[in-house]
Each structure stands twice: as structure tokens, then as C-alpha cells.
Amino acid sequence: MLVELTVKGFLDATAGSDPVPGGGSVSALNGAIAAALAEMVANLTIGKKKYEDKESLMRKIAAEAAELQAGFVKAIDEDSDAYNAVFEAFKLPKENDQEKSVRSDAIQAATKVAAQIPLQVARKAAGMMDLLAQVASEGNQNAITDACVAMMCARNAVLGAALNVRINLLSLKDESWSNSVRKEVQMLENLAIKKEQELLTKVHETL
Amino acid sequence: MLVELTVKGFLDATAGSDPVPGGGSVSALNGAIAAALAEMVANLTIGKKKYEDKESLMRKIAAEAAELQAGFVKAIDEDSDAYNAVFEAFKLPKENDQEKSVRSDAIQAATKVAAQIPLQVARKAAGMMDLLAQVASEGNQNAITDACVAMMCARNAVLGAALNVRINLLSLKDESWSNSVRKEVQMLENLAIKKEQELLTKVHETL
């Protein structure tokens, strides 16, 4: 698994001439980092006299964030695996019409999966942003910049995953599915930009 | 060193109740990821017939990106170390006026370093963005989304590090230094937002 590499090993695997891990896995990693930072801010709030009344909310946020992190961590590998499956499909034989047809169907099926994995990441990261806004406003204010960085990483998880969905849609023949996904992706992108901007604008006024 | 942790170990260290690694180290990590993705796109261009005329440019970009990555990797730890030094200064004794004065000076000195480390990260990440724009436009177009994700990570490295500079400036008494740094940080933030937007707008038109 990619997350079992050291951070330096992951960076070197990214930098190498293999297309994976690439932007797709990095987007999932950004989601995982955002969730980890949210959990930290909640943990830095729990047990503090000043935030006594937020204790149960922060425990709930910490637990949710841990669960979200686990989902993004899984997607780091899923994204690279999905890319490799497309690559394998392209290597299928194409000597005659039957082989060509089998190969084309395999490419289409693998490409659909390679769009679905980042689509899930984009949905999950966009869905996490209200929790991030909450931990930023209700959590320990000494950690406000950490909550902002979490929000920025979630924004990149959405926008980066969305780009990976979009590029895969380009080679899909199922136009009705592609069109509906493209609309959803556009909506998620707009939402991510808006939610991040709301928090950063608010915090910038105080810094 | 933090980069010797596994990715999962780094995420768990982030999520825990210790303030470090936090948003500062994550910002440096984002710079390292951006550099790694840039190196990958260059590597995916080198040796390709279609991009023969870009060969020497891409070799130069790959080498520069590797060097940049090394700098950001170092900053991942430096940021956490600088935070810990501030924390240690706060623990100095303050029983009498002399101790109070020594402690106050130590806090000021450590906080200045804790502003300088992310300032370097913000400068370096902003300075990397022209290289990222170049690898996006001249490099292998099959990896265009990877180049975009690199640019997005660089944008977050700048904005995240900038927030960490800003919050440390709040407790610095050296107003003339703070004011000049605040101006520079504002400039770096504006530049990062602009450069990312330029690339994303251009690529979105094709996806």
C-alpha cells in the first residue's frame, strides 16, 4: 500500500517516471491530510477548560474525521490501481475485430472506474467542508491556521479529483453518464471554492 | 525526521493531540508534493519522440524540481522544530524581573524564527510556480492534470505558509520587520492565487 511508504518514499515514487502515484492519489492524500488536521484541532480543543462546552461536539468531530481519513487513505491506492487497470486494458490484443471489441469494452469499463474513484474523493472532500468550517469556528482558536490549512487541502482534494474525473470523461462513450457527472463535478468545484473562500476571508480579517 | 515516518504514520502524528506536525509542516509538504509532481511530468516527457525538442528543457526542470523537493522536505521538520522552540521558550521561569526579561526575549527570538521558516516556504513555493506553468504547457499533455495538481499544491504551500507567518507576526514586537514581512506575504499570496488561476482557467477550457 502507498501509505506504507515513508513520506520521502511516497515523494520519490511520485517524482519517478511512473504515472502513478500522480495527481489522483495526491488529491486523495490531500483529503486525508485535511481530515487529520481537523482531528488534531478537535483534539487540541478537548480537555481545555475554555472550551468545556464544546467537548462533546469535538469528540464527535474527532471520530468523524478519523473515519474520513481512513476513507481517503484507501482512495490513495484505489486511484493508482484504477489508473493501472486502464493501462492494462490498453495492452489487450487487437489483432481482429472480436479482440478489438473486447479491448474497447475493457478500456471503457476501466476508464469509468478511473472516473468513479476521484468522483468519490471529490464528493467526500466537498462533504467534509462543513465539518472543517465548524472545527475552525468552534474549536481551539490557537489552532485556527491549522483548520484553515485543512480547508485548503480539502479544496485541493475536490478540485484535483475533479480534474481527474474530467480527463477520464473525455474518453468515455457513455455520454448520458458523462454529462450528468460533469454537471455534478462542476457543482462540487463551485462549492469547494466557495466554502474555502468563506473561511479564509473570515480568518484573514483577524490576521 | 518526519519524512521518515510512513505516510500513514505522518497522518496519525498530524491527527494526534500534539500541535506539531500541523499546518506549517503540511504546507512545506505541499511544496514537496508539487515539486515531486513537476519532476514526474518532466520524466514522463523525457524520451518521448513527440517531445524530442523539449528534452533538454525537461531534464533541467526535473533536476530543479528534485532540488526544490529537497528544500521543502527539510522545511517539514524545520517548521515543527521552530514551533517546539517557541513552546520551550514559554516554559522558561518567570519568577523575577530578570527571568521575565530573559523569557520574553527568548519568546520573541523563537517566534521570529517560527515566522521566518514558513516565510521561506512561501517564497520558495511562489518562486516555483513559473517552473510549474512551464512543465504544464511544454510537458507531456497526457499528464496535464498532474501539472495542475502540482500548481494547486504550490498555491496551498504559499497560502498555508503565509497564514503561519501572519499568526506569528501577531505576537512579534519588532513592528518594522513585521510590517515589511506582512507586505511581502500579501504579495506572495496574490501572486500564488493569480498563477494558479491562470493555469486552471486555461486547462478547464479543454476539459
Side-chain angles (χ1 to χ4, degrees), chain B residues 169-183:
Chain B
L169 292 184
L170 289 184
S171 36
L172 273 187
K173 289 177 188 156
D174 183 346
E175 283 201 14
S176 109
W177 189 77
S178 291
N179 285 339
S180 100
V181 169
R182 204 173 280 112
K183 265 183 213 153

Side-chain angles (χ1 to χ4, degrees), chain A:
Chain A
M1 271 177 74
L2 287 166
V3 289
E4 285 161 12
L5 294 175
T6 64
V7 174
K8 183 66 183 126
F10 181 84
L11 289 168
D12 290 340
T14 301
S17 58
D18 191 337
V20 292
S25 289
V26 162
S27 300
L29 174 59
N30 264 295
I33 293 171
L37 283 170
E39 190 179 344
M40 179 185 85
V41 178
N43 280 329
L44 289 170
T45 313
I46 292 165
K48 295 281 190 302
K49 191 99 191 132
K50 190 178 167 186
Y51 297 98
E52 235 171 2
D53 57 325
K54 310 289 183 194
E55 186 92 12
S56 71
L57 173 65
M58 291 298 146
R59 289 197 183 279
K60 196 171 138 268
I61 287 177
E64 273 182 47
E67 208 172 306
L68 283 161
Q69 198 218 104
F72 288 118
V73 160
K74 246 181 84 193
I76 297 173
D77 274 279
E78 285 170 347
D79 193 275
S80 289
D81 293 347
Y83 180 93
N84 283 331
V86 175
F87 199 69
E88 289 304 313
F90 269 99
K91 288 197 285 189
L92 288 173
K94 44 176 180 175
E95 297 293 306
N96 54 50
D97 285 354
Q98 206 213 328
E99 283 183 355
K100 279 182 193 167
S101 159
V102 167
R103 178 175 175 273
S104 168
D105 289 352
I107 292 171
Q108 286 295 310
T111 304
K112 200 171 211 176
V113 174
Q116 282 165 328
I117 302 289
L119 178 59
Q120 299 285 2
V121 169
R123 279 176 185 158
K124 208 177 303 198
M128 176 170 57
M129 291 179 113
D130 283 339
L131 176 144
L132 299 177
Q134 195 172 31
V135 85
S137 66
E138 312 280 320
N140 191 329
Q141 291 304 296
N142 290 334
I144 185 66
T145 59
D146 300 298
C148 287
V149 172
M151 185 65 98
M152 289 162 45
C153 290
R155 176 258 196 196
N156 272 5
V158 175
L159 298 190
L163 278 178
N164 278 276
V165 176
R166 285 176 178 277
I167 201 160
N168 282 304
L169 291 183
L170 289 183
S171 36
L172 273 188
K173 291 177 187 155
D174 183 347
E175 284 201 15
S176 109
W177 190 77
S178 291
N179 286 338
S180 100
V181 169
R182 204 173 279 111
K183 264 183 216 153
E184 182 182 352
V185 155
Q186 177 78 60
M187 187 272 291
L188 294 171
E189 288 170 332
N190 292 344
L191 185 82
I193 290 167
K194 181 170 154 277
K195 298 253 176 201
E196 187 216 31
Q197 212 46 58
E198 278 172 8
L199 178 61
L200 293 189
T201 304
K202 203 164 68 178
V203 172
H204 254 271
E205 284 163 13
T206 68
L207 288 181

Side-chain angles (χ1 to χ4, degrees), chain A residues 3 5-8 14-17 23 36 39-40 43-44 69 146 152 155-156 160 166 189 196 204 207, chain B residues 3 5-8 14-17 23 36 39-40 43-44 69 146 152 155-156 160 163 166 189 196 204 207:
Chain A
V3 289
L5 294 175
T6 64
V7 174
K8 183 66 183 126
T14 301
S17 58
E39 190 179 344
M40 179 185 85
N43 280 329
L44 289 170
Q69 198 218 104
D146 300 298
M152 289 162 45
R155 176 258 196 196
N156 272 5
R166 285 176 178 277
E189 288 170 332
E196 187 216 31
H204 254 271
L207 288 181
Chain B
V3 289
L5 293 175
T6 63
V7 175
K8 184 66 184 127
T14 301
S17 58
E39 191 180 344
M40 179 185 86
N43 279 329
L44 289 170
Q69 198 217 104
D146 299 299
M152 289 162 44
R155 176 258 196 197
N156 273 5
L163 278 179
R166 285 176 179 276
E189 288 169 332
E196 188 216 33
H204 254 271
L207 289 181

Side-chain angles (χ1 to χ4, degrees), chain B residues 138-169:
Chain B
E138 312 280 321
N140 191 329
Q141 291 304 297
N142 290 335
I144 186 66
T145 58
D146 299 299
C148 288
V149 172
M151 185 65 99
M152 289 162 44
C153 290
R155 176 258 196 197
N156 273 5
V158 176
L159 299 189
L163 278 179
N164 278 274
V165 177
R166 285 176 179 276
I167 201 160
N168 282 304
L169 292 184

